[in-house]
Amino acid sequence: MPRTSRFRWDFAIHPEPGSIIGYRRDGRPIRLIGGGAPADLDDWIPIEYDSDVWKRVLMESVIESQAVRVPMRSSSKSLLRSEGLKVRFGRTYTDDDSERTSYFLKARKIIARLTVDEDDLSDAEAIVDVIGTAEDDYAISYATLIDNACLGVTEAESETPSDQRPFTSVYRMLRTSYTSNPNLGYTADDNYVAWDGTLGMADDPDGESFYERASELFKKVETGRYWSRADAIVIADPEFKDAMRLATDRAGNPVFKEAAGVDRLGQPYDTLFTVPVFWSHGSRTSSAASQEPDGNPLMFYGNRRALRLGDREGLRTRFDNARAQDDADEAAIKFRARRGFALAHPKAFAVLEKTDGS
């Protein structure tokens, strides 16, 4: 039988569990295990969307759970930017004269690798346990990394992988001027609010309290044409929880409510000014994408439909044992995904930054 990494299944030839149904690239036989379909660990294996790994990603990553997914069949995709369409009464149609611009999604790889001493992998159960633990660790780190890359990176997007700046983040876009297109026209920091950490109460307004700064943040989006009550969302670093719990209106009523509703994944969510709040450890400033960002905490408010996540390839994993030519007897587990990201329009979001660094 030829050595191959693909399976050829024939019930007449291999009717019993334990039968050889193929060979790995290194020549070791692959045997049928009763009760399951054959799978080749020499290939990249997709992690199913209903798996515990994906459930963890969706719980931890706001971008993965809330952004609008855009299928990508190539490494880049051009999308027409929403800039409004002129509508009028009458019987004669006239062409819209708005300047139409496009923005791009570029798929970037998000990768990881773990090596394990083969002496610790004495049986199949050990392999499954190691892979399962590694998948959980990857899910947590992946969720924070992609959120930080899409939300909090302060520097410009870079084509150099080692720079770790794969996208133009929401924070970067809101702090950059886009005035060359009169329809897009946005001046840096128009939708930016700084907060020094002052708590205060609404019954003693001084313009510095969290209540007042958060209200200003909401106003910047709600007075624009991209605000939608149905799609409004707050994304915040968990450090904002304390300030939200202490914020009240002038009548002393709290403006923050915990577990106020249940999202489409069946998970409870909090609300601020009745708007759903989703927490993310990636919602902090960082000069480059990080799974442990330690910059200033950020809170975003805007239209979730403006968050566009390019879906080139979902989470995949690959396991390989050590080969004869390797210097050490170590098995390796690889993980990868391919994602693109863009904020469709800067006026669709606003950001509040806690600037005191505490």
Side-chain angles (χ1 to χ4, degrees):
M1 181 179 294
R3 295 179 180 179
T4 175
S5 64
R6 303 292 180 183
F7 287 99
R8 298 178 181 275
W9 182 250
D10 189 330
F11 285 100
I13 300 175
H14 304 298
E16 298 293 332
S19 300
I20 296 175
I21 56 176
Y23 288 86
R24 303 184 189 279
R25 293 189 180 95
D26 60 4
R28 291 178 297 113
I30 303 170
R31 299 181 181 274
L32 169 65
I33 299 177
D40 189 347
L41 293 181
D42 284 338
D43 292 331
W44 286 98
I45 301 174
I47 298 177
E48 301 297 333
Y49 277 94
D50 61 350
S51 68
D52 291 339
V53 178
W54 261 112
K55 290 177 182 177
R56 186 60 181 266
V57 168
L58 295 176
M59 288 177 61
E60 300 285 344
S61 170
V62 177
I63 294 299
E64 284 284 354
S65 65
Q66 299 301 317
V68 175
R69 291 185 178 275
V70 180
M72 298 181 67
R73 297 185 178 223
S74 60
S75 59
S76 64
K77 185 170 185 175
S78 174
L79 299 175
L80 189 65
R81 195 185 306 276
S82 173
E83 296 170 0
L85 182 68
K86 292 184 178 179
V87 180
R88 63 189 297 271
F89 290 100
R91 296 183 178 181
T92 303
Y93 291 91
T94 58
D95 292 332
D96 176 75
D97 59 0
S98 300
E99 184 177 347
R100 291 289 155 182
T101 60
S102 299
Y103 61 99
F104 288 87
L105 295 175
K106 297 180 181 179
R108 311 292 193 187
K109 277 188 180 182
I110 306 167
I111 58 177
R113 182 175 63 189
L114 173 69
T115 57
V116 185
D117 192 323
E118 284 199 339
D119 291 340
D120 297 330
L121 303 177
S122 58
D123 53 38
E125 290 185 0
I127 294 175
V128 172
D129 183 63
V130 168
I131 293 177
T133 301
E135 286 178 341
D136 288 340
D137 291 341
Y138 177 74
I140 296 171
S141 297
Y142 170 89
T144 302
L145 182 68
I146 193 169
D147 276 10
N148 186 238
C150 299
L151 296 172
V153 171
T154 60
E155 302 301 319
E157 176 182 343
S158 173
E159 295 288 340
T160 304
S162 59
D163 288 342
Q164 294 295 293
R165 302 194 302 272
F167 317 119
T168 298
S169 73
V170 178
Y171 180 88
R172 173 73 184 188
M173 195 167 190
L174 294 178
R175 307 215 64 185
T176 305
S177 292
Y178 298 90
T179 55
S180 59
N181 179 350
N183 293 309
L184 180 61
Y186 175 84
T187 302
D189 293 347
D190 275 355
N191 283 11
Y192 173 80
V193 178
W195 174 55
D196 64 5
T198 301
L199 295 177
M201 298 298 164
D203 57 358
D204 184 24
D206 58 6
E208 302 298 327
S209 70
F210 173 79
Y211 177 95
E212 292 165 287
R213 290 300 194 187
S215 181
E216 181 183 354
L217 176 78
F218 276 47
K219 178 182 177 181
K220 286 182 177 295
V221 177
E222 291 169 346
T223 54
R225 64 180 178 178
Y226 292 96
W227 179 72
S228 167
R229 179 66 183 88
D231 295 312
I233 183 177
V234 172
I235 302 171
D237 182 85
E239 187 168 326
F240 283 98
K241 276 193 172 185
D242 180 56
M244 289 185 186
R245 292 189 184 106
L246 296 175
T248 61
D249 60 22
R250 293 191 177 185
N253 300 311
V255 295
F256 173 69
K257 294 184 179 180
E258 296 184 275
V262 178
D263 65 18
R264 55 185 176 179
L265 299 175
Q267 299 297 321
Y269 62 79
D270 306 328
T271 61
L272 177 66
F273 298 123
T274 73
V275 176
V277 179
F278 294 90
W279 306 103
S280 172
H281 290 290
S283 188
R284 282 178 173 263
T285 58
S286 179
S287 60
S290 172
Q291 63 191 49
E292 296 180 346
D294 58 0
N296 291 338
L298 301 172
M299 183 172 79
F300 297 89
Y301 174 65
N303 186 329
R304 60 172 289 273
R305 296 194 62 81
L307 302 172
R308 299 303 175 97
L309 181 66
D311 194 347
R312 175 72 172 118
E313 182 181 68
L315 300 184
R316 293 175 181 267
T317 183
R318 174 173 178 165
F319 176 86
D320 277 311
N321 287 300
R323 302 170 302 170
Q325 63 266 36
D326 292 340
D327 295 331
D329 293 329
E330 291 181 330
I333 307 169
K334 280 184 176 180
F335 299 91
R336 82 178 186 203
R338 294 180 185 176
R339 290 288 188 262
F341 174 79
L343 177 64
H345 203 291
K347 293 182 180 179
F349 262 85
V351 61
L352 183 150
E353 179 177 4
K354 184 180 180 184
T355 57
D356 68 339
S358 64

